[in-house]
Amino acid sequence: MANQLTEMLKGTLEGIVLAFLTEDPAYGYEITTRLRDEGFEDIAEGTVYALLVRIEQRGLVDVAKVPSEKGPPRKVYSINEAGRTQLAEFWQTWNFLAGRIERLRPTA
Amino acid sequence: MAAKWIEMLTGSLEQKKQYREHVARLDALPAPYGEAAKAVQRYLTYAGAAEDGDTLVTMIGDHVDLWERAAVDGTPVRAIVGDNPVEFAEEFARAYAGKQWIDRERNRLTQAIDAAAAKQEGRQES
């Protein structure tokens, strides 16, 4: 099951992360922790980091460098207008997909 | 003036300076983060194949940031790259794909198929 979950998550992780960021700005580690708390335990921190890099490159988030007690500054991500538009599309797509797939399930 | 003239021939000096700084930070990483980071770095320069220097330098910088953070936090190497380091590296490189050489090949393929399909449709109509 873990493998199938990983595959399915790939397409939805961006939406999940954008949804997190609508509540509060966060840095990479906080997002990974939040994913773990929500039950997505197998996600590597690097996967989240790569995703954050991608949404930054695509202009869906704003990034602020915040000094940390120890080590290099942390990059804090907050969703911007383009990100909100993208997230709205994600929820629309999700509703469509979830509805269609649910219709395929045989009623026992 | 001379510097500008040289940059035109060799690429940006600023870029080279940044690149060297990133590599120095990579070399300064403690074990086992240094080994892991260098292995991923090596793969990124192949898989990423960034065409312009700015994109490449940004990618390398972000990559070093990730490992420096991991080293300070003591995050296990495996937690960073996951079960499949190749997939991790490719996904990372893909984030910078906007300006990559592969885009040109993607366009070329798309246009070739468009042209071939258009030719076929033209024939069916006549």
Side-chain angles (χ1 to χ4, degrees), chain A residues 8-29:
Chain A
M8 283 197 184
L9 266 180
K10 262 184 215 159
T12 49
L13 200 55
E14 183 183 300
I16 295 170
V17 169
L18 286 175
F20 285 174
L21 292 177
T22 50
E23 291 162 29
D24 277 311
Y27 56 86
Y29 179 72

Side-chain angles (χ1 to χ4, degrees), chain A residues 12-102:
Chain A
T12 49
L13 200 55
E14 183 183 300
I16 295 170
V17 169
L18 286 175
F20 285 174
L21 292 177
T22 50
E23 291 162 29
D24 277 311
Y27 56 86
Y29 179 72
E30 289 176 320
I31 294 168
T32 315
T33 309
R34 174 86 193 268
L35 284 164
R36 303 249 153 86
D37 290 347
E38 302 280 351
F40 306 116
E41 274 142 25
D42 284 336
I43 292 168
E45 201 170 328
T47 305
V48 176
Y49 193 88
L51 185 143
L52 289 170
V53 161
R54 192 168 70 235
I55 58 179
E56 180 188 348
Q57 292 287 313
R58 285 171 55 211
L60 305 178
V61 286
D62 295 330
V63 179
K65 284 201 172 182
V66 176
S68 72
E69 341 62 73
K70 208 163 62 134
R74 291 182 189 276
K75 283 168 110 178
V76 175
Y77 298 84
S78 53
I79 194 165
N80 61 22
E81 217 32 58
R84 283 196 192 89
T85 309
Q86 179 73 15
L87 181 61
E89 266 175 48
F90 167 77
W91 284 126
Q92 239 179 337
T93 311
W94 175 256
N95 282 342
F96 171 79
L97 200 60
R100 293 285 147 163
I101 292 175
E102 195 54 45

Side-chain angles (χ1 to χ4, degrees), chain B residues 39-50 56 59 89-90 93 100-101:
Chain B
V40 176
Q41 175 63 46
R42 183 190 155 86
Y43 192 88
L44 283 179
T45 51
Y46 283 99
L56 184 70
M59 177 172 78
E90 287 187 355
Q100 279 175 15
W101 61 272

